């Protein structure tokens, strides 16, 4: 799955090669914003044209083996679902001059006229606008001998199922972590090289869920169910992970940072001391919006601070500063610009004036 040096306009190719290596999740990025390139929430239709004539070692056909890989990803992701259709024909080039906007899985002897690398098994093309992926094809090298089987790799016989799992990871936006800087060392299907690993690992799953969330809405979707932030650490900081995938926007909810959004989640924090607070979404996986409020009813909140981008259109994380008052309850809302979604990292830092009020962490003995 070694990066292919060929880059075509706004798209590119990601390839799978032979051998064994380690990994840890990383992403195909929009180099202008630094954010992952991902699909919008919804359904991504796959036109699978790999064929059904051969019965594989595991009892599948090439079409059903590929669909099984897509279904494996579907069971793990919240905001996107693959819809597989079986068809015949020739894959259609997705570059702007072709304009197919179909997502094809097929065997071919070249990648739309470009030769496969010497050890390349398959490539995934990617076409995107801004942070949004708009089309992708998976082309399997027809010069290889293919089957579908579990377990250890077999000499000169390549498992289409595990290769499809990997290439669909690229389709979702994952890249080769063992080729990151610095290289990461956790076992994962998203390695750049094929191995006897034939199932997704937690590293693969976490990487994809950072983009599309797990199944089901987040627990802090509603204002009334805001996640309560506990005591800060010894440095008066907290790092709060979350997702806004499959979250909703409630009636009477404000537009955070002036944008309509549509997928907000909430945190609730009682300031343990007075002093300046910095709150930001650095490390989140999408274009966030952020609002800080006081009040007890959604329809009558008072805005304390709000922000869309740290650097408009470039650094698309949000950041605010405000002065907290001891004992005041603050609500933090994180949404997505124009309903964008993904994994959230909310970073909270307090600089207490005159120190932090003590808290009882262990009850005294009597």
């Amino acid at each position: 799955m070694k990066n292919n040096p060929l880059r075509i306009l706004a798209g590119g190719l990601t390839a799978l090669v032979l051998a064994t290596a380690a990994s840890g999740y990383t992403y195909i990025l929009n180099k202008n914003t630094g954010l992952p390139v991902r699909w919008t929430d919804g359904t991504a239709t796959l036109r699978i044209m790999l064929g059904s004539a051969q019965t594989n070692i595991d009892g599948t056909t090439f079409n059903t083996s590929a669909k099984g890989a897509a279904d494996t990803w579907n069971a793990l992701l919240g905001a996107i679902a693959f819809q597989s259709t079986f068809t015949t024909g020739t894959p259609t080039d997705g570059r702007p001059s072709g304009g197919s906007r179909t997502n094809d899985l097929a065997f071919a002897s070249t990648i739309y006229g470009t030769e496969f690398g010497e050890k390349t098994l398959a490539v995934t093309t990617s076409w995107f606008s801004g942070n949004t992926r708009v089309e992708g094809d998976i082309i399997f090298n027809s010069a290889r001998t293919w089957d579908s089987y579990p377990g250890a790799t077999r000499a000169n016989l390549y498992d289409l199922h595990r290769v499809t799992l990997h290439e669909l990871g690229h389709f979702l936006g994952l890249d080769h972590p063992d080729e990151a800087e610095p290289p990461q060392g956790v076992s994962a299907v998203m390695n750049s090289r094929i191995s006897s690993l034939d199932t997704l690992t937690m590293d693969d799953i976490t990487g994809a869920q950072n983009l599309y969330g797990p199944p089901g809405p987040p627990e802090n979707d509603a204002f009334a169910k805001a996640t309560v932030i506990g005591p800060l650490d010894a440095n008066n900081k907290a790092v709060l992970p979350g997702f806004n995938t499959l979250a909703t926007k409630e009636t009477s909810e404000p537009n955070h940072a002036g944008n309509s959004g549509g997928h907000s989640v909430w945190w609730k924090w009682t300031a343990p001391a007075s002093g300046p607070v910095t709150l930001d979404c650095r490390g989140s996986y999408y274009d966030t919006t952020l609002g800080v409020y006081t009040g007890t009813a959604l329809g009558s909140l008072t805005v304390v601070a709000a922000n869309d981008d740290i650097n408009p259109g470039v650094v698309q994380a949000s950041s605010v500063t405000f002065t907290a008052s001891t004992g005041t309850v603050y609500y933090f809302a994180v949404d997505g610009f124009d309903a964008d979604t993904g994994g959230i990292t909310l970073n909270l830092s307090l600089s207490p004036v005159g120190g932090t009020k003590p808290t009882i962490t262990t009850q005294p003995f009597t």
Side-chain angles (χ1 to χ4, degrees), residues 150-243:
T153 56
R154 306 186 184 198
N156 301 316
L157 186 64
Y158 301 104
D159 174 28
L160 185 126
H161 181 81
R162 81 189 70 189
V163 173
T164 305
L165 281 175
H166 173 93
E167 296 300 329
L168 287 173
H170 286 318
F171 188 92
L172 290 167
L174 299 177
D175 208 343
H176 299 143
D178 57 323
E179 295 183 335
E181 294 295 337
Q184 302 179 49
V186 181
S187 176
V189 162
M190 291 311 300
N191 269 333
S192 66
R193 303 172 190 276
I194 195 170
S195 73
S196 292
L197 182 63
D198 60 0
T199 58
L200 298 174
T201 70
M202 280 307 301
D203 196 77
D204 302 309
I205 295 165
T206 299
Q209 288 184 345
N210 284 338
L211 301 182
Y212 303 100
E219 293 183 359
N220 58 340
D221 182 10
F223 174 80
K225 294 185 178 180
T227 297
V228 176
I229 300 172
L232 305 182
D233 67 16
N235 296 313
N236 291 301
K237 299 178 183 293
V239 179
L240 309 163
F243 302 92

Side-chain angles (χ1 to χ4, degrees), residues 100-366:
S100 72
R101 295 297 178 258
T102 60
N103 308 310
D104 301 332
L105 282 69
F107 293 112
S109 59
T110 67
I111 312 133
Y112 303 123
T114 300
E115 297 295 324
F116 282 94
E118 180 182 357
K119 295 183 178 181
T120 302
L121 296 178
V123 299
T124 296
T125 67
S126 58
W127 302 97
F128 50 90
S129 175
N131 300 329
T132 303
R133 189 175 297 265
V134 296
E135 196 267 348
D137 299 326
I138 301 175
I139 309 299
F140 297 85
N141 189 345
S142 61
R144 304 290 176 185
T145 302
W146 293 93
D147 209 294
S148 183
Y149 59 86
T153 56
R154 306 186 184 198
N156 301 316
L157 186 64
Y158 301 104
D159 174 28
L160 185 126
H161 181 81
R162 81 189 70 189
V163 173
T164 305
L165 281 175
H166 173 93
E167 296 300 329
L168 287 173
H170 286 318
F171 188 92
L172 290 167
L174 299 177
D175 208 343
H176 299 143
D178 57 323
E179 295 183 335
E181 294 295 337
Q184 302 179 49
V186 181
S187 176
V189 162
M190 291 311 300
N191 269 333
S192 66
R193 303 172 190 276
I194 195 170
S195 73
S196 292
L197 182 63
D198 60 0
T199 58
L200 298 174
T201 70
M202 280 307 301
D203 196 77
D204 302 309
I205 295 165
T206 299
Q209 288 184 345
N210 284 338
L211 301 182
Y212 303 100
E219 293 183 359
N220 58 340
D221 182 10
F223 174 80
K225 294 185 178 180
T227 297
V228 176
I229 300 172
L232 305 182
D233 67 16
N235 296 313
N236 291 301
K237 299 178 183 293
V239 179
L240 309 163
F243 302 92
N244 75 326
T245 47
L246 299 183
T248 57
K249 184 175 181 178
E250 298 175 85
T251 302
S252 301
E253 182 173 337
N255 290 335
H256 311 297
N259 186 266
S260 58
H263 302 284
S264 59
V265 288
W266 294 86
W267 282 265
K268 180 180 180 180
W269 179 61
T270 302
S274 296
V277 173
T278 299
L279 187 71
D280 68 59
C281 300
R282 295 179 188 272
S284 298
Y285 294 89
Y286 71 100
D287 187 352
T288 59
T289 60
L290 173 63
V292 178
Y293 303 90
T294 56
T296 58
L298 188 60
S300 58
L301 296 176
T302 298
V303 180
V304 175
N307 179 249
D308 174 16
D309 291 348
I310 294 173
N311 185 353
V314 179
V315 182
Q316 294 179 326
S318 310
S319 180
V320 298
T321 59
F322 65 97
T323 301
S325 297
T326 305
T328 299
V329 177
Y330 297 92
Y331 286 89
F332 307 148
V334 179
D335 205 328
F337 185 81
D338 287 352
D340 204 359
T341 64
I344 296 167
T345 301
L346 187 62
N347 306 289
L348 171 63
S349 178
L350 168 67
S351 298
V353 175
T356 306
K357 290 175 61 178
T359 58
I360 298 174
T361 58
T362 303
Q363 293 298 324
F365 290 101
T366 57

Side-chain angles (χ1 to χ4, degrees), residues 3-7 9-12 27-37 128-132 175 313-316:
N3 281 333
N4 191 305
L6 176 65
R7 306 295 294 181
L9 299 176
Y27 301 96
I28 300 168
L29 302 177
N30 177 340
K31 293 182 179 179
N32 293 324
T33 66
L35 288 175
V37 176
F128 50 90
S129 175
N131 300 329
T132 303
D175 208 343
V314 179
V315 182
Q316 294 179 326

